[in-house]
Amino acid sequence: MVYGMWAIVEFFKFVKFKNTDIGEVNKMEEKNESLTQKKATLTLQKMFYLDCFVSISYAIITLSFPGQILKFTLNKPGNLDSFHKLYCRYFGAYMLYSVIMSAVCISLNLKQQKIYAIQRAITQTIVFAIHIFGHWSLGIYSPNHITPFMISGFYITFILSIYFRVKSCDEESNDEENKFFDDNEDDSTFDNSVNYEGKLKTN
């Protein structure tokens, strides 16, 4: 009898320890997933803020010094008039849209962030194409234009990295949702089967 009681107590200890161990493992997995999500969100936030900083710097410089920029980059700066400066300031004003959107984009959902990132990439690609057309086809730019031209091209890769980062976070979120729904479906299927078996036994 003593050995029987001992065996029962040890069995309950084993079952309790096993359940506790599984629960702790699940909690650790949840903590790791939440930390990974926070790190990904923080990295994405930094990237959007960096884009905001670059855009506002671009806008301030373009709005403040349109004449100096045009004289520095164009081949024949002597033919400049007020309309050239006005259009240069227009471009700086349009950059304020990127400043505002990049500043608040982290508060949007991942789908909207992905749409915004691809729009920024397309816009920057168009700007880069205009640089190429003006530099080699029209020949209106001086050799000083090479530096902003290269910066404009390399900046496309940064915006694309934002897009792929958002896309990766979106895919991870979708995988977690699918996993959650699959687990719920399995639980509901198990409950239905148990209820069905109980009804059969009752009948």
Side-chain angles (χ1 to χ4, degrees), residues 26-105:
N26 292 332
K27 288 180 180 179
M28 290 177 65
E29 289 179 353
E30 290 176 357
K31 287 182 180 179
N32 290 331
E33 289 178 358
S34 63
L35 287 173
T36 304
Q37 290 178 354
K38 287 180 180 178
K39 288 181 180 179
T41 305
L42 184 61
T43 303
L44 195 59
Q45 185 177 9
K46 290 179 180 179
M47 295 174 78
F48 277 121
Y49 284 160
L50 180 59
D51 180 56
C52 177
F53 173 75
V54 173
S55 298
I56 197 170
S57 301
Y58 204 116
I60 290 173
I61 293 171
T62 309
L63 288 169
S64 302
F65 311 105
Q68 290 83 347
I69 292 172
L70 293 173
K71 289 178 182 178
F72 181 75
T73 56
L74 295 181
N75 267 333
K76 298 178 180 180
N79 298 327
L80 297 178
D81 55 19
S82 58
F83 282 102
H84 291 88
K85 296 179 181 179
L86 177 64
Y87 293 140
C88 187
R89 286 196 172 102
Y90 270 155
F91 185 75
Y94 292 146
M95 289 299 296
L96 294 175
Y97 167 77
S98 302
V99 175
I100 297 170
M101 287 303 301
S102 295
V104 302
C105 195

Side-chain angles (χ1 to χ4, degrees), residues 6 9 24 30 35 41 68 71 86 90 98 110 118 120 152 164 178 189 193:
W6 174 81
V9 171
E24 289 179 355
E30 290 176 357
L35 287 173
T41 305
Q68 290 83 347
K71 289 178 182 178
L86 177 64
Y90 270 155
S98 302
L110 293 174
I118 196 64
R120 287 280 287 117
S152 176
F164 286 114
N178 293 332
T189 304
S193 63

